[in-house]
Amino acid sequence: MNEYAVTVIGHDRPGIIADVAEILARLGLNLTDSTMTRLRGHFAMTLVCSGPPAGAEIEAALEPLTAERTLLVTVRGVVEEPVYEPAGTHHVVTVHGADRLGIVATLARTVAECGGNITDLTTRLSGSLYVIVAEVDVTDAERLDEALRTAAQRLGVEVSMRPADADLL
């Protein structure tokens, strides 16, 4: 069974997800992981799928979506790698404050220096208010919380960290 990462980015319009999902289903590909969002009128999707076709066949099937040059589609083979087992506990970090250069860089570096791993990150700018919501795996939550508060103070933003709720399926 082949596994692929498919990305689709470009100008948003209704039906992109349906178009991509239908093409992949017709090819016999199962969607195993995905993330999709709209960013200021632009659509962004990354998904992992598995099935029998070769990458070139998938690219050819998705090519009509790029005909108007409003979407860019890429298909890459995914090699089997060891499964990442998160160490520690899962937390949600929220940052908000006046928009300024370096907020994401500082947050990401602080998490990394405390041995944490950001597993999901969303940012939004609303007027002059900048908001970050990040999911983080960390072994020393108290150390990270303290480091984030110090970094937030330097940046002039507010930060909070709380244990994440278990996913309910």
Side-chain angles (χ1 to χ4, degrees):
M1 193 67 67
N2 300 313
E3 193 167 43
Y4 299 95
V6 177
T7 61
V8 180
I9 58 172
H11 183 73
D12 188 35
R13 65 164 173 74
I16 296 172
I17 295 170
D19 292 344
V20 172
E22 288 170 353
I23 290 168
L24 297 177
R26 279 195 301 269
L27 292 171
L29 289 157
N30 184 42
L31 304 184
T32 57
D33 289 305
S34 67
T35 184
M36 304 164 202
T37 192
R38 192 174 85 179
L39 304 167
R40 294 191 181 201
H42 294 277
F43 177 79
M45 171 171 72
T46 301
L47 55 88
V48 175
C49 56
S50 60
E57 185 180 352
I58 300 167
E59 287 174 346
L62 292 169
E63 189 173 342
L65 299 179
T66 67
E68 295 179 12
R69 299 202 181 277
T70 61
L71 292 177
L72 173 66
V73 176
T74 62
V75 178
R76 296 180 188 256
V78 175
V79 296
E80 190 169 331
E81 295 182 17
V83 175
Y84 168 74
E85 292 295 331
T89 56
H90 197 64
H91 287 73
V92 175
V93 174
T94 305
V95 178
H96 65 277
D99 184 28
R100 64 170 291 197
L101 189 62
I103 296 174
V104 174
T106 300
L107 166 73
R109 179 56 55 204
T110 301
V111 171
E113 288 176 351
C114 289
N117 185 36
I118 298 173
T119 59
D120 193 64
L121 179 93
T122 302
T123 66
R124 288 282 187 248
L125 178 61
S126 178
S128 63
L129 178 65
Y130 195 72
V131 178
I132 300 171
V133 178
E135 294 181 23
V136 177
D137 290 333
V138 63
T139 55
D140 189 343
E142 287 181 26
R143 176 178 171 224
L144 177 58
D145 188 48
E146 184 177 320
L148 286 171
R149 290 184 190 287
T150 300
Q153 188 174 15
R154 282 193 322 267
L155 290 168
V157 297
E158 298 292 322
V159 65
S160 66
M161 187 171 103
R162 65 175 174 74
D165 296 329
D167 288 338
L168 300 175
L169 298 177

